[in-house]
Amino acid sequence: MAFNPASRVQDYLVFGEFGDVNPSITDSSTYTFLSPERMEELFEHEIEGCFLYSRHFNPTNKYLASALERMEDGESAQVMASGMGAISTTLMTLCGAGDEIVCGRSIYGGTYALLKNLLPRFGVNTCFVDLGDHDAVRAAMTPQTRVLYCESLSNPLLEVADLPALAAMAHEHGAQLVVDNTFTPMILSPLRHGADIVVHSLTKFVNGTSDCVAGCVVASHDFISRLTDINAGPSMLLGPVLDSTRAASILKNLHSLHIRLRQHGANALYLSNRLEELGYAVHYPGLASHPHHQLLTQLMNPGYGYGGMLTLDAGDLAAANRLMTLMQRDKVGYLAVSLGYFKTLFNTPGHSTSSEIPPAEREAAGLREGLIRFSIGLDEDIAQTTARIENCLSEAKVRGSL
Ligand code: PLP
């Protein structure tokens, strides 16, 4: 039977102290002990049901972590104050001075900047490659490579990672496959395709309301213990802890993620079909014309659609800017970074979310100046939104490719 992440989340039951259907929210940074010996013991090893200090773990964060661990079919999880907190602490758990990372060249700009500008200061260097070119991936791996890093559906080019092939290549070289699954929660289950560690920005689809920043790491018990270790764990020692009130609200939103994903996906498919029909340069993994459509169809969990992200190449930056200004005027959505919100968001990644990547590298990866990234909202009447976009395209004089 197919893996069903939504049912896994639904079957996770936790109650508040009075049988409240939502679990109580931890309102404490620290926890009392009945004896000094018990406190000392907890500093030495974890004790089920015992908490020490909220930077380490607290009950509310554990509830959210447990639900996400079930969604990803992992053994254990930790929640963080941001997606970048999850990514940076994961990589610092896996790598030290002299180690190397091989990473896809189409990734979120903040991750690129972390790998390119910050980690080299600690002796960790990264080689960026086209993950679709398996010879190039193999050639980039050295005995020092500890991590092969990718996004399951890449930001912003929407390239699908061939997870089983990448996992095999990582393991052949003694490295771990780390997958950022932010664009495809529930749609893809990277651990089931051989990945070792999954990270998310919960800020996006998982939360869905653009009212907070959060992240998570899902992996083996052993890895999460190393990540949170009191003596050497990067999440414990760098401290990107998620606030428990936020953890509680994200957990509630997680329970409607499957329904939202279906609507995001149906709307994105409707719009991209129409734009393709009209001859615009639209790119959406749910379209048969997308180069990785077959691969995604083969890897995905059925029933959640192909996601809410699509791109449209307006030709040049001036045309893209005209179009975005008109779409905001006509209530298509907001000119804003981020994604996974209930309203449509759009931006030009080359001049915002991927601006950390130098222009020559963006160009080589195929990220053109006029490319607009859309996160399609939960619009009730997508035909009306599509008609508005068509009018804006004509008024902005964006040319189709036909
Ligand atoms: N991963 C991806 C794919 C992203 O798009 C982003 C942010 O846009 C992040 C990670 C970083 O997440 P956060 O902003 O929650 O730190």
mmCIF file of all heavy atoms in Angstrom, residues 56 132 151 156 163 174-175 204 241 251 266 282 295 326 332 336 351 374 399:
data_model
loop_
_atom_site.group_PDB
_atom_site.id
_atom_site.type_symbol
_atom_site.label_atom_id
_atom_site.label_comp_id
_atom_site.label_asym_id
_atom_site.label_seq_id
_atom_site.Cartn_x
_atom_site.Cartn_y
_atom_site.Cartn_z
ATOM 1 N N HIS A 56 16.928 22.769 24.793
ATOM 2 C CA HIS A 56 17.218 21.385 24.423
ATOM 3 C C HIS A 56 15.965 20.787 23.780
ATOM 4 O O HIS A 56 15.966 20.457 22.604
ATOM 5 C CB HIS A 56 17.631 20.639 25.695
ATOM 6 C CG HIS A 56 18.169 19.274 25.457
ATOM 7 N ND1 HIS A 56 17.821 18.208 26.249
ATOM 8 C CD2 HIS A 56 19.023 18.804 24.534
ATOM 9 C CE1 HIS A 56 18.451 17.128 25.808
ATOM 10 N NE2 HIS A 56 19.183 17.457 24.773
ATOM 11 N N GLY A 132 21.535 16.797 -12.186
ATOM 12 C CA GLY A 132 21.016 15.940 -13.257
ATOM 13 C C GLY A 132 22.153 15.251 -14.017
ATOM 14 O O GLY A 132 21.925 14.284 -14.745
ATOM 15 N N GLU A 151 17.775 19.953 -2.937
ATOM 16 C CA GLU A 151 16.374 20.254 -2.643
ATOM 17 C C GLU A 151 15.540 19.268 -3.460
ATOM 18 O O GLU A 151 15.842 19.054 -4.648
ATOM 19 C CB GLU A 151 16.061 21.708 -3.012
ATOM 20 C CG GLU A 151 16.770 22.678 -2.063
ATOM 21 C CD GLU A 151 16.676 24.145 -2.453
ATOM 22 O OE1 GLU A 151 16.095 24.444 -3.516
ATOM 23 O OE2 GLU A 151 17.190 24.982 -1.686
ATOM 24 N N PRO A 156 14.860 28.194 -7.474
ATOM 25 C CA PRO A 156 13.520 28.359 -8.006
ATOM 26 C C PRO A 156 13.264 27.560 -9.280
ATOM 27 O O PRO A 156 12.174 27.671 -9.845
ATOM 28 C CB PRO A 156 13.493 29.849 -8.359
ATOM 29 C CG PRO A 156 14.895 30.102 -8.868
ATOM 30 C CD PRO A 156 15.796 29.181 -8.071
ATOM 31 N N LEU A 163 16.113 11.129 -6.237
ATOM 32 C CA LEU A 163 16.537 10.784 -4.871
ATOM 33 C C LEU A 163 17.190 9.401 -4.759
ATOM 34 O O LEU A 163 18.253 9.284 -4.145
ATOM 35 C CB LEU A 163 15.351 10.910 -3.907
ATOM 36 C CG LEU A 163 14.792 12.340 -3.786
ATOM 37 C CD1 LEU A 163 13.467 12.331 -3.033
ATOM 38 C CD2 LEU A 163 15.775 13.267 -3.103
ATOM 39 N N GLY A 174 30.559 7.067 0.825
ATOM 40 C CA GLY A 174 30.609 7.212 2.292
ATOM 41 C C GLY A 174 30.036 8.534 2.787
ATOM 42 O O GLY A 174 30.361 8.981 3.894
ATOM 43 N N ALA A 175 29.193 9.177 1.970
ATOM 44 C CA ALA A 175 28.601 10.459 2.380
ATOM 45 C C ALA A 175 27.125 10.264 2.738
ATOM 46 O O ALA A 175 26.554 9.200 2.508
ATOM 47 C CB ALA A 175 28.744 11.470 1.253
ATOM 48 N N LYS A 204 6.932 27.770 5.244
ATOM 49 C CA LYS A 204 6.282 27.768 3.931
ATOM 50 C C LYS A 204 4.987 26.944 3.961
ATOM 51 O O LYS A 204 4.092 27.257 4.720
ATOM 52 C CB LYS A 204 7.299 27.256 2.901
ATOM 53 C CG LYS A 204 8.681 27.937 3.007
ATOM 54 C CD LYS A 204 8.592 29.396 2.680
ATOM 55 C CE LYS A 204 9.838 30.245 2.826
ATOM 56 N NZ LYS A 204 11.065 29.778 3.327
ATOM 57 N N VAL A 241 16.318 27.713 18.892
ATOM 58 C CA VAL A 241 15.161 26.972 19.415
ATOM 59 C C VAL A 241 13.844 27.622 18.961
ATOM 60 O O VAL A 241 13.756 28.843 18.858
ATOM 61 C CB VAL A 241 15.252 26.881 20.950
ATOM 62 C CG1 VAL A 241 15.136 28.251 21.603
ATOM 63 C CG2 VAL A 241 14.185 25.964 21.520
ATOM 64 N N LEU A 251 1.638 22.995 14.620
ATOM 65 C CA LEU A 251 1.070 21.640 14.715
ATOM 66 C C LEU A 251 -0.402 21.648 14.289
ATOM 67 O O LEU A 251 -0.856 20.748 13.562
ATOM 68 C CB LEU A 251 1.222 21.103 16.148
ATOM 69 C CG LEU A 251 0.650 19.710 16.419
ATOM 70 C CD1 LEU A 251 1.276 18.654 15.514
ATOM 71 C CD2 LEU A 251 0.855 19.311 17.888
ATOM 72 N N ALA A 266 -3.993 21.865 -7.571
ATOM 73 C CA ALA A 266 -5.033 21.935 -8.614
ATOM 74 C C ALA A 266 -5.008 23.326 -9.260
ATOM 75 O O ALA A 266 -5.120 23.455 -10.487
ATOM 76 C CB ALA A 266 -6.402 21.648 -8.004
ATOM 77 N N VAL A 282 6.014 28.714 -19.447
ATOM 78 C CA VAL A 282 5.655 28.321 -18.082
ATOM 79 C C VAL A 282 6.308 26.982 -17.768
ATOM 80 O O VAL A 282 6.476 26.128 -18.646
ATOM 81 C CB VAL A 282 4.112 28.259 -17.923
ATOM 82 C CG1 VAL A 282 3.495 27.202 -18.823
ATOM 83 C CG2 VAL A 282 3.700 28.003 -16.491
ATOM 84 N N LEU A 295 9.720 11.617 -13.692
ATOM 85 C CA LEU A 295 10.484 11.271 -12.491
ATOM 86 C C LEU A 295 9.669 11.594 -11.233
ATOM 87 O O LEU A 295 9.557 10.770 -10.318
ATOM 88 C CB LEU A 295 11.820 12.042 -12.482
ATOM 89 C CG LEU A 295 12.687 11.865 -11.242
ATOM 90 C CD1 LEU A 295 13.133 10.413 -11.078
ATOM 91 C CD2 LEU A 295 13.915 12.790 -11.304
ATOM 92 N N LEU A 326 1.457 44.920 -12.242
ATOM 93 C CA LEU A 326 0.050 44.840 -12.675
ATOM 94 C C LEU A 326 -0.705 43.747 -11.920
ATOM 95 O O LEU A 326 -1.864 43.925 -11.546
ATOM 96 C CB LEU A 326 -0.008 44.579 -14.186
ATOM 97 C CG LEU A 326 0.491 45.736 -15.069
ATOM 98 C CD1 LEU A 326 0.616 45.287 -16.514
ATOM 99 C CD2 LEU A 326 -0.457 46.932 -14.965
ATOM 100 N N VAL A 332 -4.148 39.705 -8.051
ATOM 101 C CA VAL A 332 -3.769 38.306 -8.295
ATOM 102 C C VAL A 332 -3.095 37.764 -7.034
ATOM 103 O O VAL A 332 -3.256 36.602 -6.657
ATOM 104 C CB VAL A 332 -2.813 38.217 -9.508
ATOM 105 C CG1 VAL A 332 -2.180 36.840 -9.615
ATOM 106 C CG2 VAL A 332 -3.552 38.575 -10.792
ATOM 107 N N ALA A 336 6.007 39.497 -3.254
ATOM 108 C CA ALA A 336 6.650 39.187 -1.964
ATOM 109 C C ALA A 336 7.500 37.938 -2.117
ATOM 110 O O ALA A 336 7.196 37.059 -2.934
ATOM 111 C CB ALA A 336 5.583 38.937 -0.890
ATOM 112 N N HIS A 351 16.602 38.655 -8.611
ATOM 113 C CA HIS A 351 16.761 39.952 -7.947
ATOM 114 C C HIS A 351 16.254 39.917 -6.508
ATOM 115 O O HIS A 351 16.012 40.959 -5.906
ATOM 116 C CB HIS A 351 16.042 41.042 -8.762
ATOM 117 C CG HIS A 351 16.744 41.236 -10.058
ATOM 118 N ND1 HIS A 351 17.698 42.199 -10.254
ATOM 119 C CD2 HIS A 351 16.696 40.505 -11.198
ATOM 120 C CE1 HIS A 351 18.194 42.071 -11.464
ATOM 121 N NE2 HIS A 351 17.600 41.046 -12.066
ATOM 122 N N PHE A 374 6.268 31.828 -8.910
ATOM 123 C CA PHE A 374 4.931 31.973 -8.313
ATOM 124 C C PHE A 374 4.734 30.900 -7.250
ATOM 125 O O PHE A 374 5.050 29.734 -7.482
ATOM 126 C CB PHE A 374 3.825 31.725 -9.352
ATOM 127 C CG PHE A 374 3.615 32.820 -10.353
ATOM 128 C CD1 PHE A 374 4.465 32.968 -11.424
ATOM 129 C CD2 PHE A 374 2.531 33.675 -10.229
ATOM 130 C CE1 PHE A 374 4.255 33.962 -12.372
ATOM 131 C CE2 PHE A 374 2.302 34.677 -11.168
ATOM 132 C CZ PHE A 374 3.171 34.825 -12.240
ATOM 133 N N ARG A 399 5.666 38.538 -24.063
ATOM 134 C CA ARG A 399 5.468 37.695 -25.259
ATOM 135 C C ARG A 399 5.527 36.215 -24.871
ATOM 136 O O ARG A 399 6.333 35.810 -24.037
ATOM 137 C CB ARG A 399 6.540 38.008 -26.287
ATOM 138 C CG ARG A 399 6.246 39.272 -27.084
ATOM 139 C CD ARG A 399 7.055 39.306 -28.367
ATOM 140 N NE ARG A 399 8.473 39.202 -28.095
ATOM 141 C CZ ARG A 399 9.258 40.249 -27.874
ATOM 142 N NH1 ARG A 399 8.771 41.456 -27.893
ATOM 143 N NH2 ARG A 399 10.556 40.078 -27.645
#
